[in-house]
Amino acid sequence: MNISGDARPDPTEHDARGDGRNDGRGDGRNDRDDGRDDDRNDGRDESPEERADRQWQELVQEIRVAQTGVQILFGFLLTVAFTTEFQRLPQTDKTIYIVTVILGSLATGALIGPVAFHRLVWGRRIKPETVVWASRLTFIGILLLLATLTTALFLILRVTTHNALVPWLVAGVLLWYLLCWFALPLWVRGRRRGAGRP
């Protein structure tokens, strides 16, 4: 029993699972954020399975954010084809629309894929591999979402403005996406490595 008044668990105590391990969580949950970087192996005392459980919970939260965006956009795109205005669009705009819908469908599939993957391999004791493949599917889904957003914006601006600046505006927005989603995280990661930290 810990009598020092510290809120940290006593490593000599057994947890509720009865296997003699105490992983510091007590309630079996491992999605708690302690402010430390996941890339650091010296900051956490966890088995590969416990690490995979924590990474899965974090990945699920990320997928929820991306899924919400792509599902709203995809649902909106599906309704466009049934409007009277759509029938009056030139064939070029209809082609852009079809490409956008296909990209949105692919993005939806990739972002929902980790859920189906987890369900099909659940209970097989391969959670670390599941996290790796789910992470790959999520990244592919993000790339497809990027393409969907770009083509959707291009179509909307073409139809509403008929302006020669549309490609430049879309290119500017695309650069903003690339900066926020990829360049900034990679820059921060590079600075961390440059400072000699893992």
Side-chain angles (χ1 to χ4, degrees), residues 8 12 56 71 97 102 130 157 192-193:
R8 291 175 294 183
T12 62
W56 175 257
Q71 287 172 350
Y97 169 79
I102 292 173
T130 300
L157 291 180
R192 182 178 181 85
R193 288 179 177 174

PDB file of all heavy atoms in Angstrom, residues 8 12 56 71 97 102 130 157 192-193:
ATOM      1  N   ARG A   8       0.525   8.298  -7.345  1.00  0.00           N
ATOM      2  CA  ARG A   8       0.964   7.220  -8.211  1.00  0.00           C
ATOM      3  C   ARG A   8       0.723   5.870  -7.561  1.00  0.00           C
ATOM      4  O   ARG A   8       0.866   5.728  -6.350  1.00  0.00           O
ATOM      5  CB  ARG A   8       2.455   7.382  -8.532  1.00  0.00           C
ATOM      6  CG  ARG A   8       2.747   8.583  -9.423  1.00  0.00           C
ATOM      7  CD  ARG A   8       4.213   8.777  -9.606  1.00  0.00           C
ATOM      8  NE  ARG A   8       4.822   9.133  -8.317  1.00  0.00           N
ATOM      9  CZ  ARG A   8       6.109   9.420  -8.167  1.00  0.00           C
ATOM     10  NH1 ARG A   8       6.916   9.358  -9.178  1.00  0.00           N
ATOM     11  NH2 ARG A   8       6.581   9.743  -6.981  1.00  0.00           N
ATOM     12  N   THR A  12       3.949  -2.587  -5.944  1.00  0.00           N
ATOM     13  CA  THR A  12       3.868  -3.878  -5.267  1.00  0.00           C
ATOM     14  C   THR A  12       2.449  -4.391  -5.201  1.00  0.00           C
ATOM     15  O   THR A  12       2.228  -5.539  -4.845  1.00  0.00           O
ATOM     16  CB  THR A  12       4.417  -3.760  -3.834  1.00  0.00           C
ATOM     17  OG1 THR A  12       3.618  -2.826  -3.107  1.00  0.00           O
ATOM     18  CG2 THR A  12       5.867  -3.301  -3.846  1.00  0.00           C
ATOM     19  N   TRP A  56      -3.869   2.241 -30.370  1.00  0.00           N
ATOM     20  CA  TRP A  56      -5.151   2.030 -31.045  1.00  0.00           C
ATOM     21  C   TRP A  56      -6.174   3.065 -30.601  1.00  0.00           C
ATOM     22  O   TRP A  56      -6.915   3.611 -31.425  1.00  0.00           O
ATOM     23  CB  TRP A  56      -5.661   0.616 -30.770  1.00  0.00           C
ATOM     24  CG  TRP A  56      -7.021   0.388 -31.344  1.00  0.00           C
ATOM     25  CD1 TRP A  56      -8.203   0.371 -30.679  1.00  0.00           C
ATOM     26  CD2 TRP A  56      -7.351   0.197 -32.717  1.00  0.00           C
ATOM     27  NE1 TRP A  56      -9.246   0.158 -31.542  1.00  0.00           N
ATOM     28  CE2 TRP A  56      -8.755   0.049 -32.803  1.00  0.00           C
ATOM     29  CE3 TRP A  56      -6.590   0.120 -33.887  1.00  0.00           C
ATOM     30  CZ2 TRP A  56      -9.408  -0.160 -34.009  1.00  0.00           C
ATOM     31  CZ3 TRP A  56      -7.253  -0.077 -35.091  1.00  0.00           C
ATOM     32  CH2 TRP A  56      -8.629  -0.223 -35.149  1.00  0.00           C
ATOM     33  N   GLN A  71     -17.354  12.103 -44.383  1.00  0.00           N
ATOM     34  CA  GLN A  71     -18.742  11.653 -44.493  1.00  0.00           C
ATOM     35  C   GLN A  71     -19.693  12.808 -44.787  1.00  0.00           C
ATOM     36  O   GLN A  71     -20.626  12.662 -45.580  1.00  0.00           O
ATOM     37  CB  GLN A  71     -19.150  10.924 -43.218  1.00  0.00           C
ATOM     38  CG  GLN A  71     -18.509   9.549 -43.088  1.00  0.00           C
ATOM     39  CD  GLN A  71     -18.751   8.914 -41.736  1.00  0.00           C
ATOM     40  OE1 GLN A  71     -19.242   9.554 -40.807  1.00  0.00           O
ATOM     41  NE2 GLN A  71     -18.390   7.650 -41.606  1.00  0.00           N
ATOM     42  N   TYR A  97     -17.004  16.240 -61.276  1.00  0.00           N
ATOM     43  CA  TYR A  97     -17.881  15.777 -60.202  1.00  0.00           C
ATOM     44  C   TYR A  97     -17.759  14.269 -59.991  1.00  0.00           C
ATOM     45  O   TYR A  97     -17.656  13.791 -58.857  1.00  0.00           O
ATOM     46  CB  TYR A  97     -19.330  16.142 -60.525  1.00  0.00           C
ATOM     47  CG  TYR A  97     -20.333  15.481 -59.613  1.00  0.00           C
ATOM     48  CD1 TYR A  97     -20.569  15.973 -58.331  1.00  0.00           C
ATOM     49  CD2 TYR A  97     -21.024  14.347 -60.020  1.00  0.00           C
ATOM     50  CE1 TYR A  97     -21.474  15.353 -57.489  1.00  0.00           C
ATOM     51  CE2 TYR A  97     -21.936  13.730 -59.185  1.00  0.00           C
ATOM     52  CZ  TYR A  97     -22.158  14.234 -57.921  1.00  0.00           C
ATOM     53  OH  TYR A  97     -23.041  13.619 -57.084  1.00  0.00           O
ATOM     54  N   ILE A 102     -15.898   9.667 -56.707  1.00  0.00           N
ATOM     55  CA  ILE A 102     -15.103   8.433 -56.598  1.00  0.00           C
ATOM     56  C   ILE A 102     -14.013   8.598 -55.547  1.00  0.00           C
ATOM     57  O   ILE A 102     -13.794   7.701 -54.712  1.00  0.00           O
ATOM     58  CB  ILE A 102     -14.511   8.055 -57.968  1.00  0.00           C
ATOM     59  CG1 ILE A 102     -15.624   7.642 -58.921  1.00  0.00           C
ATOM     60  CG2 ILE A 102     -13.479   6.939 -57.815  1.00  0.00           C
ATOM     61  CD1 ILE A 102     -15.166   7.422 -60.348  1.00  0.00           C
ATOM     62  N   THR A 130      -2.298  -4.968 -36.079  1.00  0.00           N
ATOM     63  CA  THR A 130      -3.542  -4.265 -36.414  1.00  0.00           C
ATOM     64  C   THR A 130      -3.325  -2.758 -36.402  1.00  0.00           C
ATOM     65  O   THR A 130      -3.806  -2.042 -37.294  1.00  0.00           O
ATOM     66  CB  THR A 130      -4.651  -4.648 -35.416  1.00  0.00           C
ATOM     67  OG1 THR A 130      -4.878  -6.049 -35.469  1.00  0.00           O
ATOM     68  CG2 THR A 130      -5.950  -3.915 -35.736  1.00  0.00           C
ATOM     69  N   LEU A 157     -15.844  26.206 -57.330  1.00  0.00           N
ATOM     70  CA  LEU A 157     -15.384  27.527 -57.794  1.00  0.00           C
ATOM     71  C   LEU A 157     -15.584  27.689 -59.294  1.00  0.00           C
ATOM     72  O   LEU A 157     -15.903  28.778 -59.770  1.00  0.00           O
ATOM     73  CB  LEU A 157     -13.916  27.725 -57.416  1.00  0.00           C
ATOM     74  CG  LEU A 157     -13.622  27.887 -55.924  1.00  0.00           C
ATOM     75  CD1 LEU A 157     -12.137  28.078 -55.682  1.00  0.00           C
ATOM     76  CD2 LEU A 157     -14.408  29.054 -55.331  1.00  0.00           C
ATOM     77  N   ARG A 192      12.997  18.207 -33.695  1.00  0.00           N
ATOM     78  CA  ARG A 192      13.195  17.353 -32.514  1.00  0.00           C
ATOM     79  C   ARG A 192      14.392  16.444 -32.698  1.00  0.00           C
ATOM     80  O   ARG A 192      15.214  16.281 -31.811  1.00  0.00           O
ATOM     81  CB  ARG A 192      11.932  16.540 -32.240  1.00  0.00           C
ATOM     82  CG  ARG A 192      12.016  15.662 -31.012  1.00  0.00           C
ATOM     83  CD  ARG A 192      10.708  14.920 -30.779  1.00  0.00           C
ATOM     84  NE  ARG A 192      10.788  14.100 -29.592  1.00  0.00           N
ATOM     85  CZ  ARG A 192      10.555  14.531 -28.365  1.00  0.00           C
ATOM     86  NH1 ARG A 192      10.223  15.808 -28.173  1.00  0.00           N
ATOM     87  NH2 ARG A 192      10.635  13.717 -27.332  1.00  0.00           N
ATOM     88  N   ARG A 193      14.472  15.841 -33.878  1.00  0.00           N
ATOM     89  CA  ARG A 193      15.613  14.969 -34.158  1.00  0.00           C
ATOM     90  C   ARG A 193      16.907  15.755 -34.219  1.00  0.00           C
ATOM     91  O   ARG A 193      17.964  15.286 -33.801  1.00  0.00           O
ATOM     92  CB  ARG A 193      15.374  14.210 -35.445  1.00  0.00           C
ATOM     93  CG  ARG A 193      14.312  13.125 -35.331  1.00  0.00           C
ATOM     94  CD  ARG A 193      14.102  12.416 -36.637  1.00  0.00           C
ATOM     95  NE  ARG A 193      13.137  11.337 -36.517  1.00  0.00           N
ATOM     96  CZ  ARG A 193      12.667  10.621 -37.519  1.00  0.00           C
ATOM     97  NH1 ARG A 193      13.075  10.888 -38.749  1.00  0.00           N
ATOM     98  NH2 ARG A 193      11.801   9.660 -37.314  1.00  0.00           N
TER      99      ARG A 193
END
